[in-house]
Amino acid sequence: MSSTTSTERRESVADLEIEGMSCASCANRVEGTLAQQAGVETAHVNFATRRAHLELGDPPPTLGELREAVAGIGYELSRPAEEPDRDDVDERESRRWLKRVLIAWPPAVAIMALALTAAEQDWARWLSLALATPVQFIAGWPILRRGFERVRHLGANMDTLIALGTSTAFAYSVYELAAGGELYFETAALLMAFILLGRYFEARARSRASGAIRSLLELGARDARVVIDGEEHLVPVEHLQVDDLVRVRPGEKIPADGVVVDGGSAVDESMLTGESLPVEKGPGAPVAGATINAAGALTIRTTAVGSETALAQIVRLVEQAQSGKAPVERLADRVSGIFVPVVIALALLTFATWWLLLGDPTQGLLAAVAVLIIACPCALGLATPTALLVGTGRGASMGILIKGGEVLERSRRIDSVVFDKTGTLTRGELSVEEVQAVGGERPEDVLRLAAAVEANSEHPLGRAIAKEAGERGLKAPPADQFHSTVGHGVEARVDGTPILVGRRELISDRGIELSRECDEIASEQEGSGRTAVFVAWGGRVRGVISLADTVKPGASETIRELHAMGIQVAMITGDNSRTAEAIAAELGIDRVLAEVLPEDKIEEVARLQAEGLTVAMVGDGINDAPALVQADLGIAIGTGTDVAIESSDLTLISGRLDGVVTAIRLSRRTFRTILQNLGWAFGYNTAAIPLAAVGLLQPVIAGAAMALSSVSVVSNSLRLRGFGRRKQQDRS
């Protein structure tokens, strides 16, 4: 990705931190407010990450304008630090809640003991008030403040429900203390204690869920050894510039993306690709920042530093994916947006029913408090973002970059995967297998003249022919008047003679008759999975050059695993049908789309979609960009620093084919986790609210259950952290 593209993207979006949110309804309100601001095209607020991702128009709003708008509804907005220490932020939040838990629980337990043993004693009643007061107003102060602050701004959130519930129980007990009636200080205190404990566990779990970006940020080197006039100078990595010479000793981290100019070593790229085996590097080889030089010393010339490195791009992609929303979350958003006012209305209706129809206002009060507490939509708000956090983070650690929640939903519907052949199913490193001459010509002359035409070619076929001639010591004469026909071949003049090198189509278009002997040679080679290239001059085909491209390791296994998942597999290639069919038969591919020109791949994908198939396209992310965009799911296979993410939904940095299976399985598993979380959250509230309303669920139990529901949703999401670990261990 060019630096220009990256810069333009950053200027058109903004990522901001939101303080004061306690549930999904808060996130919805902030999102709606931001979306209404001039210059904001779209806004997504993620409750789990406490972040807002904005796509901005022209002119964009200022930070001050956005901050003022959010402050008007009771929240705080700020720009994230350039290098946020997420570990410290998460730890500070956990410690804050832990302190309040430690303040709340001892007096809450003491009040419960008094209620069970000395409820009728005046001293115990007044002591209960003394013990409940710090629980309610010191330990629970952040919840009370935020809850009633939302009311002041004509809104309501989960904190509002908790503040109303605990304050009602506390105030009613104070009234009954003076009137000599039954007290419920233990209800108010234990409610607050359970809720604070739930907040602590939730903060701890959320810290673990967001650990992916933190671990990525920790991967980079701190210092670099810059070589100036032959001497090494240790400088902070942020001082590096493009084209600096950097020396990396064995065991050190490579500080930036670059190209090796001297030395040789094995480099551990597992942090980037998820692969445990080191990769050999020598002069001319690309290296990525934060990878580890495992053996010899290397001198590299930096090509990307700071925010333009592959690692920085990955961090940005993961952050954007985690700040997005899956379409399934829209239902949860709509529900949570009206949930809080509906719950307050249900609580009032519950109280009125018990008082006016059943004549028991005390039980009505307890039932209303239980409704307020049990119905808090916290679990609903955490269901999707926490699963997305963990799933995308786990993918990044395995060398799989997932663009967001929408990708997860599309992946579960995939029933057909189309692989580009060259560079995807095969290595893309063609080699000449055989040169056969006809009509009395010598194979050396056929190869030499073909190499002259292909000397400056960028096509894999041309490069392979030129390389073979060089390795045989054949000196290719100069050529001129080049003309290339995309997908068919190339022609040029060598010593005044027109030479054609290409496929059947090129020979036919030039009116040259293909002899039976040449046709049989080509057919035999193509039947063996090789590519046949014809060389012609003087109006006749003079020889056939056959080339082969080796299949990538694990290709057959990948196809088998896709079949086991019920997915049809197709291959798309510019090769002729016989060559393509031979490779397809070797790999067990169901369908072959052969002799397809690069610009026609998009039409082939569209044709499959017109048949009712949901198509994933797997390609290199550059040449196949239009087809990747056309497909329902675009999967780009990158290698090393080639993070081809712009046109794809999923990017496999390692280049391993089994990553396709892993990526689809991880996407499906993450989406299944989202559905499990939403099912639990919806089911929990649906079942629990009626129980609370009819008095079968005491407020204290409701508080404990509410806290448990949030923790259970996050814990279920955390199970994704173990995805694929056994397979990785087996491979290493």
Side-chain angles (χ1 to χ4, degrees):
M1 180 189 299
S2 69
S3 59
T4 302
T5 302
S6 179
T7 301
E8 288 173 353
R9 187 181 66 225
R10 288 202 304 274
E11 288 177 350
S12 64
V13 302
D15 292 294
L16 304 167
E17 291 186 348
I18 310 294
E19 290 292 328
M21 297 192 301
S22 61
C23 66
S25 62
C26 296
N28 291 337
R29 192 158 190 222
V30 174
E31 185 176 287
T33 300
L34 289 172
Q36 292 171 6
Q37 303 309 303
V40 176
E41 294 185 353
T42 61
H44 295 293
V45 175
N46 189 304
F47 169 51
T49 61
R50 308 297 202 261
R51 288 226 175 173
H53 179 73
L54 310 181
E55 293 185 7
L56 306 177
D58 188 22
T62 66
L63 179 63
E65 290 170 341
L66 296 175
R67 183 181 286 136
E68 184 178 350
V70 171
I73 56 171
Y75 302 91
E76 298 175 18
L77 180 148
S78 63
R79 192 185 300 278
E82 287 296 316
E83 295 183 0
D85 192 336
R86 293 171 183 270
D87 194 27
D88 284 351
V89 171
D90 291 332
E91 282 300 316
R92 280 200 302 271
E93 184 179 6
S94 296
R95 284 197 297 268
R96 281 198 298 267
W97 288 118
L98 180 59
K99 287 178 182 177
R100 297 186 180 279
V101 167
L102 296 176
I103 292 172
W105 271 96
V109 172
I111 296 170
M112 174 59 75
L114 290 173
L116 294 174
T117 59
E120 302 302 322
Q121 303 294 321
D122 282 346
W123 64 269
R125 292 163 64 86
W126 287 98
L127 181 57
S128 295
L129 170 62
L131 291 171
T133 301
V135 175
Q136 181 73 10
F137 297 105
I138 297 178
W141 177 246
I143 293 174
L144 297 178
R145 179 175 58 82
R146 289 175 181 174
F148 289 119
E149 196 173 74
R150 295 293 87 78
V151 176
R152 185 167 63 87
H153 290 283
L154 303 178
N157 63 1
M158 188 182 77
D159 286 340
T160 307
L161 298 181
I162 296 170
L164 283 173
T166 58
S167 297
T168 299
F170 184 88
Y172 181 73
S173 297
V174 171
Y175 170 78
E176 289 294 316
L177 177 63
E182 189 173 355
L183 306 183
Y184 295 97
F185 285 123
E186 77 281 3
T187 297
L190 283 171
L191 264 179
M192 187 63 78
F194 272 119
I195 288 161
L196 292 170
L197 185 63
R199 291 288 174 91
Y200 166 69
F201 283 133
E202 182 186 316
R204 292 280 294 176
R206 196 167 55 241
S207 170
R208 293 175 64 198
S210 61
I213 292 182
R214 183 169 65 245
S215 61
L216 286 172
L217 291 168
E218 291 170 352
L219 289 173
R222 302 292 183 187
D223 302 302
R225 302 177 189 276
V226 179
V227 180
I228 303 175
D229 297 328
E231 295 185 2
E232 294 181 12
H233 299 268
L234 194 66
V235 301
V237 71
E238 54 267 24
H239 292 175
L240 280 179
Q241 298 180 358
V242 173
D243 285 333
D244 278 347
L245 282 178
V246 178
R247 189 160 293 148
V248 186
R249 297 175 180 175
E252 293 182 340
K253 290 181 179 179
I254 295 173
D257 294 357
V259 176
V260 177
V261 296
D262 186 47
S265 179
V267 174
D268 179 0
E269 296 184 337
S270 58
M271 54 68 55
L272 189 69
T273 66
E275 297 302 317
S276 58
L277 295 177
V279 179
E280 294 296 327
K281 300 288 184 179
V287 291
T291 56
I292 299 173
N293 180 21
L298 293 174
T299 301
I300 69 168
R301 185 178 299 279
T302 58
T303 57
V305 298
S307 62
E308 301 306 321
T309 63
L311 177 64
Q313 292 182 51
I314 292 170
V315 170
R316 278 201 298 272
L317 183 69
V318 175
E319 284 184 323
Q320 288 172 14
Q322 293 180 345
S323 66
K325 291 188 177 184
V328 70
E329 193 173 359
R330 293 172 192 148
L331 174 61
D333 283 350
R334 286 196 294 269
V335 171
S336 60
I338 61 171
F339 210 71
V340 173
V342 168
V343 167
I344 293 174
L346 283 174
L348 291 172
L349 179 63
T350 298
F351 176 68
T353 301
W354 278 94
W355 181 20
L356 300 177
L357 297 183
L358 301 176
D360 192 345
T362 301
Q363 183 58 44
L365 183 66
L366 293 176
V369 169
V371 168
L372 287 172
I373 300 302
I374 200 68
C376 290
C378 190
L380 194 61
L382 289 168
T384 299
T386 52
L388 196 58
L389 268 174
V390 183
T392 54
R394 178 58 185 147
S397 69
M398 299 175 74
I400 300 168
L401 304 184
I402 304 171
K403 271 201 170 177
E406 211 169 316
V407 173
L408 301 177
E409 280 207 39
R410 291 203 301 271
S411 71
R412 72 190 178 101
R413 300 193 302 270
I414 295 300
D415 52 24
S416 179
V417 173
V418 178
F419 286 94
D420 177 56
K421 181 181 81 71
T422 305
T424 303
L425 284 174
T426 64
R427 293 182 182 275
E429 299 171 358
L430 289 162
S431 60
V432 174
E433 297 295 315
E434 196 171 354
V435 181
Q436 295 171 273
V438 298
E441 300 292 342
R442 296 191 315 150
E444 292 80 2
D445 291 334
V446 171
L447 180 60
R448 180 174 58 84
L449 291 172
V453 175
E454 299 281 13
N456 297 314
S457 175
E458 290 300 317
H459 193 282
L461 290 170
R463 289 201 303 268
I465 290 171
K467 179 182 177 183
E468 180 68 16
E471 290 177 351
R472 294 191 186 190
L474 301 176
K475 186 175 181 180
D480 56 20
Q481 297 184 28
F482 293 92
H483 177 72
S484 174
T485 304
V486 177
H488 290 162
V490 65
E491 50 193 308
R493 297 180 72 88
V494 179
D495 294 332
T497 301
I499 310 291
L500 284 77
V501 182
R503 298 180 177 176
R504 280 184 170 83
E505 293 83 356
L506 181 66
I507 301 300
S508 176
D509 288 346
R510 298 300 181 267
I512 299 174
E513 185 177 349
L514 189 65
S515 68
R516 182 176 179 181
E517 182 183 6
C518 286
D519 187 51
E520 288 176 351
I521 290 171
S523 297
E524 181 183 353
Q525 296 295 331
E526 290 165 354
S528 301
R530 295 175 177 178
T531 299
V533 174
F534 300 98
V535 184
W537 67 83
R540 289 193 299 118
V541 175
R542 308 288 179 154
V544 181
I545 301 175
S546 58
L547 302 96
D549 186 4
T550 55
V551 172
K552 282 186 177 180
S556 297
E557 178 66 22
T558 296
I559 305 304
R560 281 197 299 272
E561 291 192 39
L562 288 171
H563 284 156
M565 296 166 67
I567 295 174
Q568 176 191 120
V569 181
M571 180 179 74
I572 192 167
T573 177
D575 278 347
N576 64 78
S577 298
R578 279 190 290 269
T579 300
E581 292 286 357
I583 294 174
E586 177 187 349
L587 296 176
I589 289 173
D590 306 305
R591 189 167 181 173
V592 175
L593 309 171
E595 300 178 30
V596 180
L597 297 176
E599 62 269 23
D600 294 334
K601 289 180 181 179
I602 186 172
E603 295 177 7
E604 293 296 331
V605 172
R607 189 173 292 116
L608 292 174
Q609 291 171 321
E611 295 177 12
L613 296 172
T614 304
V615 180
M617 171 72 190
V618 185
D620 63 13
I622 300 170
N623 299 328
D624 302 312
L628 289 170
V629 173
Q630 173 65 35
D632 299 285
L633 185 70
I635 303 177
I637 293 188
T639 50
T641 58
D642 178 23
V643 186
I645 63 176
E646 290 305 312
S647 56
S648 64
D649 302 305
L650 289 166
T651 301
L652 311 179
I653 308 174
S654 68
R656 288 180 58 103
L657 275 177
D658 59 2
V660 174
V661 175
T662 304
I664 294 176
R665 281 181 173 160
L666 175 60
S667 296
R668 289 181 172 183
R669 173 85 174 273
T670 304
F671 188 75
R672 189 163 66 245
T673 301
I674 290 173
L675 294 181
Q676 290 169 352
N677 289 348
L678 287 172
W680 163 253
F682 276 120
Y684 162 84
N685 285 122
T686 302
I689 292 176
L691 293 176
V694 299
L696 296 178
L697 200 63
Q698 293 300 309
V700 172
I701 304 301
M706 188 273 289
L708 179 63
S709 70
S710 299
V711 175
S712 65
V713 162
V714 179
S715 299
N716 187 47
S717 300
L718 285 171
R719 294 193 304 137
L720 288 167
R721 297 175 71 187
F723 176 86
R725 291 194 185 277
R726 180 176 298 177
K727 186 173 181 180
Q728 278 191 319
Q729 290 168 359
D730 292 342
R731 199 163 64 210
S732 61

